[in-house]
Every structure is written in structure tokens, then in C-alpha cells.
Amino acid sequence: MTKNSFEKDIETSKELPPKLDIPILKYFWQSNPLFTSNKNSIPRFLRKIKVLENFSDYELRLLSKALHLRQFSDGETIFNQNDIGVGFYFIFSGRVDIIVEDDQRVSDSSNESKLNHVVSLDKMDYFGELALLQQQSVRNATALARESCQLLGIFKPDLENLINTNPTIATKLLQAVSIITANRLFSVTNEVRRLKFKIKQLESQNANSN
Amino acid sequence: MQTAISKQEKVRLFAFFLGLVLFLFSLSLFPRVTIPLSVAYVISLIFNPLIPVVMRFGLKRSTSVNLVFTAILFLFTYPLIKITPTVTSEAQNVQYYLPKVESFLKTEYRNITERIEKRTGYVVGNDLLDNSLSYGQKATTEILLQIPKYLGSIIEWIFLVPLFVFFILKDGKSFKSNFLKIVPNSIFERFYYLSHQFNRQLGDYIFAKFVEASIVGVIISTGLFIMDVRFALLLGLVAGLTNVIPYLGPILGTVPAIIFGLAEYGWGPTFGAITVLYVVANSIDIALVFPILVSKIVNLHPLMVVISVILGSTFFGVMGMVISIPLAAAFKLISIEIYNELYGVKSR
């Protein structure tokens, strides 16, 4: 009786509902650009960073396991100048200001040390790389969160663990960090050369005028 | 620039430290969980250095943990099954030897007191011997009476400890990273680095102590075994276990062997051989193993070590002696950090 009615139902119904193809649906769901599961988004984010070019996708996935995602609210200090630092940060979202305070205080002026805004860093920028390399690294500048931002930090202990467990990844990371420092060193050398030239110029001008 | 800590951050800091203190306090309230957990933690610290070694062959973390864990189980189970019957039979034999030891001690004591009386005329009396003997008997019977009570929890531990060890080895890293998520931003870097340093020191120390104790135990056991002395295994085990206690341990481990050797063999060549064996084993330990393995790890002055051992024993008994050095090392780390913070020492 029931079977009959069921068959009848099928015969009489004009069109069956289209079959749901779960795998295809899942594929479209996951390829959605707004789909952000942490598992996928961090390696994908790291893929876009230029200095990490030499990492394979798999290695980036392993590296992302060693990273710590930290949340900072607007105006929060990430680290202070002259602190001892152990971490190297990538900006996952938000904006970070790097600020240098002048150590020399002018005695007659206000007691507050002068603040120099150095640079604003955006998404996919990085800072603090010297902390990974130096033995007891002292921060050269203060980092402030300028929006609520998410940082991906890798710290000395993580690097030590990586060296022990995944030497390839640790080597590639250190290679990336040394590329960054080498670039900075190159620009610093250029700057020094330029300044030296300027000093020489000024000295000769001085000698001429005297 | 010392920016003022925001209110939200202050709340976070307070909540974090409150949570930490409450957690530690609750651990001390439930020893049935805490003891197997800490035993498992110590064992996992001993074997943790093996995992990176295995992982370097290109294995995944879970696979290498499984491998190491199976190796640990084999390493522990096989000798336990082989050795336990021998040790139990030896321990059972000890009770038949105790009267012999007692009578030996009495005669020796009488000889000595008589000699003292002859030389100086001072009567020592039997109180000292009787007191110490009755104390020894009492202590032994107490320990024997406590055994059934502990047996239940030991059986519980046999199942719990391997389980804990496995999961600490396997998921310890993710536990740690989850815990680090709640560490407030303003102390994160410092906290992470300090806890890492402390953990590594503790792990290295425990690993080194484990190796040291096994070396001493094996040397003494094999030496006694070659000399065909009774209770070789048991005495080696005692020497290894007591070796964990710094400075005092070797002496504590030697005492039973000396008493037993005198009672069993008298002032003969065998006793001399036993003494030489203990001296050699301990000097190998002190001259070679200790400086190479242990003292490099916990960078403490010997005076500090002795003081911390004494303090540990007054507060927590024998257990305190064992854990005193790691605690002292942690204290040193933290105080150096505080000193650097207060005095602004920024060494490069």
C-alpha cells in the first residue's frame, strides 16, 4: 500500500528536486575568496610575502604551525624601544607604526623625550627581524598598533624548535631573515656613504670660508 | 617610551595571573591527579629530546611520537618483567638478613663501647644503639605496612602514567600554544622566552640526572654481580635512586652496602672490594659525569646547590631534595630577569 503510494508519488510528481552534489558545493564554498579558515589562510597569506618565496607550499604550512597569531587593539604597544626582544612579526591585518625616541634629552626643554615617527607598516610588512638573529637583542624602536591588528609572530624558542625538528624550514627562514637584513645593511651602507660625502663637502666649504 | 598600560590590558594581566595561581592551587588540592601527571611530565621531559632526532629522518611528528612511545614502553616493560622477580626475591631475602645485620651491629657496638671504656673510662651505655635500632625497625615496619595502601595507587598509576606521557609527548606543543594565546600582550615575549628557557633547563637537568643515575646504578650492579655479592641488583637500584639527590645521595646509597657488606663478609677482601667499587663508581660520577652533564646545565654555585637541597629537605622532605635544584635554577632565571628590568641592564 505504502509502496504503491510512493511509486505513485514519483510518477505523478512533475520534476524531482535537483540532486545535491556535495563535493562540488564544498569546492565552491572553499574557493570562495571570503572563506577564511585559519588553517588555509595563514599559509596563503605567507605565500604572498616576497621574502618567503623560496618556501614550498608544504613548508609554508609547517612554518605556519610555528607562528603565533597575536591580537593587538588600537594604540596598544607591541614592544618598546630598549626592551629585550625575541620576536619577529608579520602583519596579518591592520597597521603598525614604528617610532623612535631620541635618547638625548635637551635639559631646558620639556622632560618628555622627543618622538620621531619613522614608518608606517601595512599588511604583509614585517618588523623585528634582528631579534631572531642577535644573542640578546635590544629593540631599536617602539612598535605601536595603529588599528586593531593581527600579527603573526615567530620567536626565538620557535626557531630553536624548528632547527631541531625541521632544519630545512629553519634554514629557509634564516635565509629569508638574512635577505631582509642584507637589504637593510645595503641601504644603510649607501646612506653612510652619502652622509660621508656630505660631511666632506661641508668640511671643504668650511675650510674655504675660513 | 614607557606607555601606560591600558585598563583592558591590566584586567587581562590580573585575570591571567589569577588563573595561573588558581590552577596551581587546584593542582595541589588533587594529588591523585597531580602526582601521576607530574611523573608523566618528568618522563616526557626525559624522552622529549628523542622526538626531534626521529623527526629529522623526515617523519611526521605524530609518527615519531608513536615510535618513541613504543620504544619507551618496550624499554620499561621488558626489564620490568625480567628484573622485578629478581628484585622482589632479593627484597624478600633482605628480611631474613635483617636479624643478622642487627646482631652484627650490636656486637660491633659493644666492642667499640668497651674499647672507649678501656681507653677513657667513659661509659657510653646502650641507649644510643637501642634507640637507633628501634627507630630503624619502626621505620621499616611502617614502610611495609604502608605498601598495601600505596599498591592501589601504583596500579592506578601504571595505567595513568603511560596515557599521560603519550598525550604530553603528542599534544604538548598544541597545549602550549593554546596556553600562550591567553598570555597578555605586554608580557608575552618575556613570558614565552623565560618559560622556554626554564623548561629547557628542567628538561636537560632531568635528562642528565636520569643518565647519571643509570650510569652509577649499572656500574654498581655489574660490579657487585661480578664479585658475586648478594643483592647486587637491589643495591645498584638503591644507589641509582639515591644518586638523584645531589651531594647527599651518593653517601645515602653507600650506607646500606657498607652495613650489609660488613655483616655478611666481615672485615675481609670482599668488603674492601665493595668499598673500592663504590668509591670508583662515585668518583666516576663526580669527576666525569657530573661536570660534563649536570653542572653545565644548571649554572649554580655549589654553595647554592647545597643550601637549596637543605631548604628543600626541610620543606618537602626527600621529594624536596630532588626538586630543589630545578626550583633554584628557576628562581635564578627569574631574579636575573627582574634585576635586568629594575636596573636597566641591557647587555648585548
Side-chain angles (χ1 to χ4, degrees):
Chain A
M1 189 66 190
T2 49
K3 197 184 170 192
N4 278 344
S5 74
F6 176 66
E7 280 175 345
K8 216 173 169 184
D9 255 16
I10 291 181
E11 277 164 20
T12 50
S13 67
K14 282 138 209 159
E15 50 187 70
L16 287 164
K19 199 178 154 198
L20 274 179
D21 196 339
I22 300 291
I24 285 189
L25 214 74
K26 206 172 162 188
Y27 170 75
F28 278 118
W29 174 250
Q30 284 186 343
S31 60
N32 172 11
L34 296 175
F35 176 80
T36 49
S37 115
N38 251 355
K39 218 174 177 181
N40 280 320
S41 64
I42 292 178
R44 215 183 278 173
F45 163 78
L46 293 174
R47 181 80 283 166
K48 290 182 213 151
I49 294 175
K50 189 120 193 307
V51 283
L52 301 179
E53 268 178 345
N54 49 1
F55 280 72
S56 71
D57 283 352
Y58 176 64
E59 286 165 344
L60 279 183
R61 194 129 38 89
L62 288 180
L63 176 68
S64 72
K65 278 184 193 165
L67 296 172
H68 299 260
L69 188 64
R70 306 287 306 167
Q71 293 269 3
F72 289 86
S73 49
D74 189 13
E76 205 174 347
T77 324
I78 297 158
F79 50 72
N80 279 317
Q81 188 171 342
N82 295 333
D83 272 359
I84 289 175
V86 292
F88 170 40
Y89 295 93
F90 297 98
I91 302 174
F92 188 57
S93 69
R95 209 154 54 80
V96 171
D97 276 1
I98 304 292
I99 290 165
V100 172
E101 56 182 300
D102 280 338
D103 284 334
Q104 301 103 319
R105 287 178 185 174
V106 188
S107 52
D108 51 13
S109 71
S110 64
N111 219 1
E112 275 185 22
S113 54
K114 225 168 127 194
L115 297 180
N116 283 330
H117 177 257
V118 176
V119 67
S120 277
L121 298 174
D122 235 328
K123 193 179 170 184
M124 303 210 304
D125 284 331
Y126 36 79
F127 57 95
E129 66 283 341
L130 283 182
L132 278 186
L133 299 177
Q134 273 177 316
Q135 196 58 256
Q136 249 194 323
S137 170
V138 176
R139 297 291 190 190
N140 281 325
T142 300
L144 285 175
R146 268 292 156 246
E147 284 157 23
S148 75
C149 63
Q150 289 180 306
L151 303 179
L152 284 169
I154 184 158
F155 302 90
K156 254 186 205 161
D158 304 318
L159 183 64
E160 277 173 33
N161 286 339
L162 275 181
I163 288 171
N164 280 328
T165 54
N166 285 310
T168 337
I169 292 173
T171 320
K172 286 191 175 178
L173 181 70
L174 285 174
Q175 191 186 16
V177 174
S178 26
I179 288 172
I180 297 169
T181 41
N183 286 343
R184 301 236 161 118
L185 185 67
F186 182 73
S187 59
V188 166
T189 323
N190 273 347
E191 184 76 8
V192 168
R193 195 180 297 147
R194 202 175 59 80
L195 289 176
K196 264 187 181 166
F197 179 69
K198 219 164 196 180
I199 288 172
K200 222 176 235 172
Q201 255 185 341
L202 285 174
E203 272 176 348
S204 61
Q205 267 180 25
N206 237 358
N208 286 341
S209 64
N210 282 345
Chain B
M1 184 182 66
Q2 203 64 50
T3 39
I5 298 169
S6 69
K7 201 179 167 193
Q8 194 190 11
E9 184 68 15
K10 270 181 195 163
V11 172
R12 264 187 232 149
L13 277 172
F14 178 72
F16 173 69
F17 281 109
L18 189 73
L20 210 63
V21 168
L22 278 181
F23 175 69
L24 290 177
F25 182 67
S26 63
L27 272 186
S28 70
L29 282 183
F30 305 112
R32 258 183 88 184
V33 181
T34 313
I35 294 172
L37 202 63
S38 32
V39 170
Y41 181 61
V42 166
I43 293 175
S44 71
L45 279 181
I46 293 173
F47 292 100
N48 218 8
L50 290 180
I51 290 173
V53 177
V54 179
M55 274 177 84
R56 240 177 274 173
F57 292 107
L59 293 171
K60 274 188 178 175
R61 185 171 175 89
S62 51
T63 323
S64 45
V65 166
N66 285 335
L67 259 173
V68 168
F69 186 70
T70 321
I72 295 172
L73 276 190
F74 187 75
L75 205 79
F76 270 89
T77 325
Y78 184 72
L80 269 184
I81 290 168
K82 282 276 170 193
I83 288 173
T84 315
T86 335
V87 170
T88 19
S89 70
E90 282 189 358
Q92 276 167 350
N93 278 335
V94 165
Q95 61 175 322
Y96 303 118
Y97 271 83
L98 279 181
K100 200 175 173 182
V101 170
E102 201 183 320
S103 66
F104 165 78
L105 281 178
K106 272 184 181 158
T107 48
E108 282 295 310
Y109 185 76
R110 206 171 301 134
N111 287 342
I112 291 171
T113 45
E114 271 172 13
R115 214 177 290 166
I116 290 174
E117 266 184 60
K118 250 185 218 166
R119 292 265 170 90
T120 63
Y122 176 72
V123 183
V124 180
N126 275 334
D127 290 354
L128 194 65
L129 178 72
D130 288 342
N131 280 345
S132 49
L133 275 183
S134 68
Y135 174 76
Q137 275 172 352
K138 227 195 217 166
T140 333
T141 44
E142 244 168 43
I143 290 170
L144 286 176
L145 283 176
Q146 295 276 347
I147 283 177
K149 201 180 126 194
Y150 285 121
L151 211 60
S153 41
I154 285 173
I155 287 169
E156 199 178 290
W157 292 357
I158 285 175
F159 292 100
L160 276 183
V161 169
L163 190 81
F164 286 160
V165 169
F166 178 71
F167 282 110
I168 291 175
L169 283 178
K170 184 170 168 285
D171 295 332
K173 235 178 144 185
S174 58
F175 289 155
K176 208 166 86 181
S177 68
N178 277 336
F179 171 71
L180 284 171
K181 274 182 191 157
I182 62 163
V183 177
N185 284 332
S186 54
I187 56 166
F188 178 79
E189 281 194 14
R190 214 167 299 164
F191 182 85
Y192 187 27
Y193 193 56
L194 262 188
S195 65
H196 171 76
Q197 261 185 324
F198 171 63
N199 238 324
R200 200 183 49 190
Q201 273 200 357
L202 187 69
D204 287 354
Y205 176 74
I206 286 173
F207 182 74
K209 267 289 168 192
F210 175 73
V211 172
E212 192 193 0
S214 344
I215 287 174
V216 170
V218 165
I219 288 175
I220 284 174
S221 279
T222 39
L224 291 178
F225 192 72
I226 288 166
M227 281 188 272
D228 209 17
V229 175
R230 256 173 201 277
F231 309 134
L233 224 52
L234 198 64
L235 285 173
L237 205 66
V238 168
L241 283 179
T242 50
N243 191 273
V244 176
I245 303 168
Y247 293 98
L248 268 173
I251 300 165
L252 284 179
T254 316
V255 167
I258 297 254
I259 292 175
F260 168 75
L262 273 179
E264 178 78 9
Y265 302 103
W267 296 95
T270 318
F271 173 71
I274 292 174
T275 325
V276 168
L277 176 71
Y278 269 83
V279 169
V280 167
N282 281 321
S283 37
I284 287 175
D285 175 28
I286 290 167
L288 287 176
V289 183
F290 192 80
I292 293 172
L293 268 179
V294 185
S295 66
K296 262 188 197 166
I297 295 162
V298 285
N299 200 359
L300 288 174
H301 195 268
L303 212 62
M304 288 306 295
V305 172
V306 174
I307 289 171
S308 59
V309 169
I310 292 168
L311 286 180
S313 72
T314 48
F315 287 122
F316 306 107
V318 179
M319 202 53 211
M321 286 173 161
V322 179
I323 60 167
S324 60
I325 292 194
L327 281 184
F331 181 72
K332 189 182 173 187
L333 268 182
I334 291 169
S335 42
I336 285 176
E337 193 67 19
I338 289 172
Y339 171 79
N340 285 349
E341 183 67 31
L342 287 181
Y343 291 86
V345 178
K346 309 285 181 194
S347 55
R348 267 173 200 265

